[in-house]
Amino acid sequence: MSSSRARYLIFFQYCGTKYSGVVRAPETQAVLGVENYLEMAAQKLRPVGKVTFSISSRTDSGVHAICNSAHVDIERTPDKSPFSEAILVKALNFHLHPEPISILKAIRVSNDFHARFKAISRTYFYRVVTGCKHTDLPVFERNRCWAASERHLDISRIQEAAQLFVGTHDFSGFRSTNKNTPFQSPVKTLLQASVVPSTSLLPNQIQNSNLQYWDFTFKGKSFTYNQVWNFYFCYQECRNCLVLWSLSLIIHFPWVMGGD
């Protein structure tokens, strides 16, 4: 009898406020990751053996995902056929309820497909607001944007700084250190870095006119640990030509500026 094991590419989204991040956390930990809940939902489908998701892109605690992806192997008993893509989406969403996690789509893929290594690009998106402290944000904006400390951002300098990052560079000076740092190359290619005006999630008639929203977008095939987060904080410091000159030095001469 043919095997009932099948590999699927899963697209999913989540509101990350209540999770430790997207990756699996130890079950003894008080706050779990999105992956824990994905795997608990999959186990309720009564598969053969333990189900493990391989996430393509990692996000930290409190970070949301409009669309992330993972691959997963699900094997059923020999008398049962593999789940169809549509049924798998419905079944996982049923068992994920009421968590703020949703399966968007499932695609049957070959057994050697890998969600992380097959990813073409990754896009990180930051919503930033000026004009108030985080505690003064409208209720529906809390946990969905970052309140900058500045009343006004120097957008022209920020946009100038953004273009310094685009291209292939050694980003040693923009990554944080973790256990995997020695094994990962700091050379990455940034395809897009942009900053554009945005709006509140609220209807126009009830928006606070003192608040200005901005969308920061970063796109690349891969990133070093905390690279995008460090980009954003560098942007906030773009107040004069000296800062831009310093950023240029870090990008073009990372070993001089304290990089690896």
Side-chain angles (χ1 to χ4, degrees), residues 126-198:
Y126 285 80
R127 293 183 69 239
V128 179
V129 60
T130 56
C132 73
K133 298 179 181 178
H134 184 76
T135 52
D136 298 325
L137 281 171
V139 170
F140 295 103
E141 290 288 1
R142 294 175 189 173
N143 301 317
R144 290 175 174 81
C145 65
W146 179 268
S149 57
E150 304 292 326
R151 177 60 184 87
H152 296 286
L153 297 179
D154 190 335
I155 295 301
S156 62
R157 292 197 186 279
I158 288 176
Q159 291 172 334
E160 187 177 350
Q163 297 317 301
L164 293 175
F165 294 129
V166 175
T168 301
H169 306 285
D170 182 332
F171 287 109
S172 293
F174 296 91
R175 65 175 177 176
S176 300
T177 302
N178 65 6
K179 63 181 180 180
N180 295 318
T181 300
F183 311 103
Q184 296 175 336
S185 172
V187 178
K188 302 293 180 181
T189 299
L190 190 65
L191 302 174
Q192 177 187 355
S194 63
V195 184
V196 297
S198 185

Side-chain angles (χ1 to χ4, degrees), residues 76-90:
R76 308 185 75 190
T77 55
D79 59 314
K80 296 180 180 179
S81 300
F83 289 108
S84 71
E85 296 161 340
I87 288 177
L88 181 59
V89 170
K90 291 181 180 179

Side-chain angles (χ1 to χ4, degrees), residues 121-124 189-193 217-223:
S121 66
R122 295 167 172 85
T123 301
Y124 288 87
T189 299
L190 190 65
L191 302 174
Q192 177 187 355
T217 303
F218 304 90
K219 180 180 179 180
K221 181 173 175 56
S222 62
F223 296 91

Side-chain angles (χ1 to χ4, degrees), residues 9 12 54-58 68-71 115-117 119 122:
L9 170 61
F12 60 101
S54 296
I55 308 292
S56 70
S57 303
R58 294 192 173 195
N68 203 338
S69 63
H71 73 260
R116 179 185 172 193
F117 300 132
R122 295 167 172 85

